[in-house]
Each structure stands twice: as C-alpha cells, then as structure tokens.
Amino acid sequence: MNYDFDKLVNRRGTNSLKWNVEENELPMWVADMDFETAPEIIEAMHTRLMHGVFGYSDIPEEWSEAYVKWWKDRHQFQMEKDALIFCTGVVPAISSIVRKLTTPAEKVLIQTPVYNIFFNSIVNNGRQVLQSPLAYDGVNFDVDFERLEKDLSDPQTSLMILCNPHNPVGKIWSRETLARIGELCKKYHVTVISDEIHCDLTAPEKFYIPFAAASDICKEISITCIAPTKAFNIAGLQTSAVYVSDENLRHKVWRGLNTDEVAEPNAFAIDVAIAAFSRGENWLDELREYIQENKKVACTYIQEKLPELYVVPSEATYLLWIDCSRITKDTKALADRIRERTGLYLSEGSQYGSNGNEFLRLNVACPRERLYDGLERLKMGIDV
Ligand SMILES: Cc1ncc(COP(=O)(O)O)c(C=O)c1O
C-alpha cells in the first residue's frame, strides 16, 4: 500500500461533528471517515491556500471536464459537460429540488430504510414522506416492485428519491432494477432524484450503475446528485454536482439551485473536486481495499462472537447494517445502552424508517486498531 490508512488521526479539537463526544467515547455513527484525505487533494488545497486571496469563485470548464472524464473512465457513462450544475452539497440540492418540483403536501417517495436526512428534506419543506419499504427476507434487501408500483401510482406522488448505491443497506442496484424503476416512474409521471454520493465506495472489482445509464427513460426523467465528498472524505468542503440530461428539467433545477443560493462554490470547492477526479484514483482504490478488509474483520468478529446479530451483506459504502431483531425490536434503547455502558456511539436504525428499529448502523471507515476497539465495545454492550 502506498497510502497509510492505519494512521490514527486525533480528530478531537477540530470541531468534528462525529468526534464531539466524551473522552472515553468512540464514535462510529455519522458517515465520515477517520482517514486523512488523499495527499493529491491536500496538495491542491495547499496551493490554493498559499495564494492567500479568497474572493468569490467561478466555475471553470476543468471542473465539469473532471466529472465527465471520471464517469466515463470509471463508470462507463458519458455525461454531457453542459448538463452539470455545481451545488454546495447533495442535501442542499435535494432540498432545493423538492421545493422546485413539488407543491406543499405532495408526496415524495423514498425506499426505506434509507438515509435519514431524506426525511428532513421532505418534511422541512412541507411535503409528505411516502415510505415505500424495501423487501427484507432476513438475509437481503431488495425492491418490492408490487409495493413500489402501488406507491408510485398514487396521484399525489410526484417525486422519488433513490439512493444508488443504497445507504444504509449497502446495496448496488442492478441495471435491470434501475431500468424497471425508471419505467414505473415514467408510467406514473414521477421524476427521480438519484443520490449517487456513495457510488465510488464500492467493493474492489465492483462498480455501480448510474441511474441515468440504465435506460433512455431513466436518463430522461432523472436528476443525479454526485460528489467527491464521501469517497474522498471531504464532506466539510461542500462540493457536489447535479447532472440533468433533459434540458427543460435542467433549467428548472438550475433556477431552483440559484434561487436557493446553493450554486456558488467556496474557494476550495472546485480545486478539490478537480484534484479528486483527476488525481485521486490510486488513493481511492487502496481505500476500497482497506474498507473491504475492515468489513470482513467486522463481519467475522460479529459472526463468531455475537452470533445473535446478523450483518446484511454489503457491496458498497463503509456502513454495516446490523440486524438485531433476534435480541430487540428497539435498537434506540440498545444503542443508548451500548453508548452508556461502553462509550461506543452507533446510529440507531429507527431514524432510517420502516423496520430500521431492528437494526444498528456501524461505520467501519477507521484505522483497523480503532475498529477492533469498536467491535470489542459492541460485544461488551450486547453481552449483559
Ligand atoms: C445518501 C447520502 N446522501 C447525501 C449525504 C450528504 O451529502 P452532502 O454532505 O453533500 O449534503 C449523505 C451523507 O451521509 C448520504 O449518505
């Protein structure tokens, strides 16, 4: 390995949301990583920093070219350069699109359990959350197409937010699944926001399918949110892109993002995105290997020492979705107990909707030594 993912970085004292915890506590909840970002990104920031003037920024051609090249080379998907719009983040983009494309009290469909902030983007804008639960057979999650069609056919449903790959269940949706979702959405006049922020965090040798690449219909009816922030651990730098192929839809989205004042970059946002997508490949590939090994370590540990828990197989993200249904249907209480007893801070599953109350989410994106500490605390917290 050329990059040192074993390095223990002390994140206390940096106003880290994740690490704003007591001295004895170990946070493995919110989705950011305990690794330093790629040196190639730090170097780009350093150059920008040393310039010393931090006025308003413009968005150069190189920015969209870097996205287009990365998606073409890594994900075999050709985006039109002019179809990309800068946004300060995926959540700001989603909230803005919800406001622009739906009216108050309309329904926005999400496939639960899913990233909890989707609920906020809908509810805080006065729209209704329509939970269309994924099917779970005790082993894997998948789309329940019968239920999805019923929910999409509700005339109040005008927008769907897809999580591709899916947080928290770690699923990479197949081309067939995505194309079928696209057909149903087209049939019922539902626009799709595809949140693809986790797309570069797939297992080694595995790649995701962009929703817009699944079929012509998918491309026509969708808005795709992408960013280097999850994969390169630069969420605090607030940089993302919105890809909309259809011109009319793009114009609306662009107006919405501008009206909401979330379309202008800070002084580092452009340079870090260009550095990530032009020079970050080797770092990312090593990171994916490291995360894969962490997942293996965690799954083996849980299988051997905590057989009453079940880890849902995960092909993407650095998050493990742990089925605790054999010991509780109230993982909020369980997470509180684990934290109180051992200091391990996990995400309780009920905030992700549907059967989330039977699950805990564990973030394994940390040096292995810290992961072992977390697993031992988990065991201590579960064992009475
Ligand atoms: C699915 C998903 N979308 C969006 C975000 C956050 O995006 P941003 O920081 O760009 O607003 C996260 C963060 O965990 C996420 O998991």
Side-chain angles (χ1 to χ4, degrees):
M1 283 225 171
N2 293 312
Y3 301 98
D4 183 10
F5 296 104
D6 283 327
K7 181 174 172 183
L8 285 167
V9 180
N10 180 7
R11 299 185 61 190
R12 293 181 191 275
T14 62
N15 303 319
S16 158
L17 171 70
K18 184 180 183 181
W19 280 87
N20 185 15
V21 293
E22 299 297 323
E23 207 49 49
N24 65 329
E25 290 192 313
L26 177 60
M28 299 180 90
W29 64 291
V30 69
D32 77 21
M33 307 196 275
D34 288 345
F35 308 121
E36 286 171 351
T37 189
E40 293 79 2
I41 294 178
I42 295 174
E43 194 188 324
M45 291 187 75
H46 190 251
T47 305
R48 182 70 191 83
L49 175 70
M50 293 321 287
H51 181 255
V53 182
F54 306 105
Y56 297 114
S57 299
D58 216 342
I59 300 162
E61 291 268 300
E62 290 92 320
W63 174 81
S64 43
E65 283 165 2
Y67 272 91
V68 167
K69 186 165 186 319
W70 182 267
W71 257 262
K72 183 163 185 291
D73 294 350
R74 264 188 103 86
H75 305 303
Q76 282 72 55
F77 179 53
Q78 180 72 56
M79 296 191 289
E80 315 81 279
K81 198 168 70 172
D82 297 338
L84 286 162
I85 310 165
F86 176 86
C87 185
T88 52
V90 168
V91 169
I94 292 174
S95 294
S96 173
I97 297 162
V98 165
R99 282 190 290 276
K100 189 71 183 175
L101 299 187
T102 64
T103 53
E106 272 188 342
K107 293 180 184 167
V108 181
L109 186 151
I110 52 176
Q111 296 174 295
T112 50
V114 76
Y115 177 49
N116 54 323
I117 307 300
F118 288 173
F119 287 81
N120 300 6
S121 291
I122 301 166
V123 173
N124 292 346
N125 289 301
R127 278 63 169 171
Q128 291 187 66
V129 171
L130 176 54
Q131 291 197 43
S132 194
L134 294 170
Y136 180 57
D137 59 6
V139 182
N140 267 309
F141 283 85
D142 215 333
V143 176
D144 175 351
F145 274 102
E146 210 175 299
R147 174 66 191 258
L148 180 66
E149 176 153 17
K150 182 176 152 290
D151 291 331
L152 288 170
S153 70
D154 181 337
Q156 287 287 349
T157 309
S158 48
L159 188 65
M160 166 171 175
I161 310 174
L162 174 77
C163 199
N164 176 39
H166 193 97
N167 167 14
V169 312
K171 184 108 181 172
I172 299 177
W173 301 116
S174 71
R175 189 179 296 277
E176 295 69 35
T177 298
L178 296 172
R180 209 168 150 196
I181 292 173
E183 266 173 45
L184 288 174
C185 288
K186 168 94 175 165
K187 180 172 172 191
Y188 296 107
H189 314 287
V190 173
T191 304
V192 176
I193 300 176
S194 186
D195 176 341
E196 303 186 353
I197 197 168
H198 291 276
C199 72
D200 285 307
L201 290 166
T202 48
E205 317 301 331
K206 294 224 160 155
F207 286 91
Y208 95 118
I209 316 282
F211 181 73
S215 72
D216 289 343
I217 291 178
C218 289
K219 190 171 184 178
E220 171 201 325
I221 62 163
S222 64
I223 298 155
T224 303
C225 298
I226 44 183
T229 46
K230 278 292 137 192
F232 291 93
N233 206 29
I234 49 174
L237 295 173
Q238 301 182 323
T239 186
S240 79
V242 180
Y243 166 74
V244 198
S245 182
D246 181 83
E247 237 177 281
N248 289 334
L249 189 54
R250 190 190 320 143
H251 184 78
K252 270 196 201 160
V253 170
W254 176 67
R255 283 313 323 139
L257 296 175
N258 275 279
T259 306
D260 291 340
E261 307 295 357
V262 289
E264 276 156 31
N266 66 59
F268 295 97
I270 298 298
D271 291 347
V272 294
I274 294 173
F277 291 138
S278 327
R279 302 190 289 285
E281 190 158 29
N282 293 340
W283 182 89
L284 179 66
D285 285 336
E286 286 196 12
L287 169 78
R288 289 161 75 217
E289 299 276 352
Y290 195 91
I291 288 174
Q292 183 69 5
E293 189 56 31
N294 272 8
K295 282 180 167 176
K296 215 155 67 184
V297 163
C299 289
T300 307
Y301 184 99
I302 291 171
Q303 232 167 28
E304 286 173 4
K305 309 234 164 106
L306 290 164
E308 61 276 41
L309 305 186
Y310 169 70
V311 185
V312 174
S314 162
E315 305 174 295
T317 80
Y318 45 72
L319 307 162
L320 291 180
W321 191 234
I322 305 173
D323 184 340
C324 307
S325 60
R326 269 180 274 176
I327 57 170
T328 183
K329 304 263 183 245
D330 182 3
T331 49
K332 163 106 183 60
L334 179 63
D336 287 347
R337 196 181 79 201
I338 293 170
R339 186 170 180 184
E340 201 177 298
R341 219 182 255 180
T342 74
L344 176 65
Y345 182 2
L346 301 174
S347 301
E348 58 88 9
S350 70
Q351 56 190 318
Y352 303 88
S354 65
N355 62 347
N357 58 307
E358 299 177 4
F359 292 80
L360 289 172
R361 195 186 75 168
L362 170 73
N363 175 347
V364 301
C366 60
R368 204 145 296 143
E369 185 182 329
R370 200 169 276 163
L371 175 65
Y372 279 118
D373 181 4
L375 292 169
E376 272 155 32
R377 291 182 197 225
L378 178 64
K379 179 159 165 45
M380 250 191 320
I382 299 271
D383 290 344
V384 183

